[in-house]
Amino acid sequence: EVKKVLLGFYGSLAYGMSRETYSAVEVTRFREGSNEHTLPHLYSNTQQQTLLRNMLVYEAEDELLICPAIPRDWLRDGTEIRVESAPTSFGDLSYSIKSSGNKVKVVLRPEFRTAPRAVRITLRHPSGKAISRVQPAASASASGEAVTLKPSGRGMTLSVEF
């Protein structure tokens, strides 16, 4: 549930941060605007990092999900999302997603030990537009905001239009 994921992620960032502190916390002194003296709170920081990682790369049984819960604004014109050597249960994954107008260029560089059954890339256009075309078409299929492809174990570049 993307809305809940984003609310949890941004809520935890907003709650834990003060003007001088960029660390997750368990307790803040909300009336004074200061944090407890237990910083850094490693459990809370780990939870924020795990949530961010799962927003960018997530394993669902035998499928690999890329960007299953990113904010729409992260794909606004001129932006880029880049992940380098993310460890997954299938092997390391690097990718970049560059947005330009109503087009997105996706470059995948997997180093799979075991290939997932499918790779699903969710591209949440800022205006909520559905994907209209993916090239190369033989490698991928699109439905709504998702592109599904059968991994080959080699790098791949996709051009996606909305």
Side-chain angles (χ1 to χ4, degrees), residues 6-125:
L6 295 176
L7 177 63
F9 180 69
Y10 284 119
S12 71
L13 291 176
Y15 179 77
M17 306 297 169
S18 69
R19 287 187 175 92
E20 296 85 25
T21 307
Y22 302 100
S23 177
V25 295
E26 285 283 312
V27 178
T28 59
R29 298 178 185 188
F30 62 90
R31 291 184 184 185
E32 296 90 20
S34 63
N35 290 321
E36 290 293 328
H37 301 289
T38 58
L39 294 174
H41 196 275
L42 298 180
Y43 175 78
S44 298
N45 285 330
T46 301
Q47 294 308 303
Q48 283 182 348
Q49 293 293 324
T50 300
L51 185 54
L52 176 60
R53 187 256 188 213
N54 290 340
M55 290 166 59
L56 296 167
V57 178
Y58 188 78
E59 298 99 325
E61 296 178 18
D62 58 351
E63 289 188 350
L64 182 62
L65 310 180
I66 296 174
C67 294
I70 62 168
R72 290 189 182 282
D73 199 44
W74 288 11
L75 287 181
R76 74 182 181 283
D77 188 23
T79 59
E80 179 179 10
I81 298 169
R82 181 178 296 273
V83 171
E84 295 290 335
S85 301
T88 74
S89 57
F90 306 107
D92 289 353
L93 173 69
S94 297
Y95 70 83
S96 67
I97 300 173
K98 292 182 185 179
S99 180
S100 178
N102 283 324
K103 294 183 180 180
V104 172
K105 179 182 177 183
V106 179
V107 178
L108 298 174
R109 296 185 327 275
E111 296 178 22
F112 295 143
R113 292 180 307 277
T114 305
R117 181 178 55 81
V119 174
R120 188 169 61 227
I121 307 164
T122 303
L123 300 169
R124 302 180 74 236
H125 190 274

Side-chain angles (χ1 to χ4, degrees), residues 136-156:
S139 302
S141 62
S143 176
E145 296 181 318
V147 174
T148 304
L149 45 109
K150 184 121 173 97
S152 65
R154 299 185 319 264
M156 175 181 283

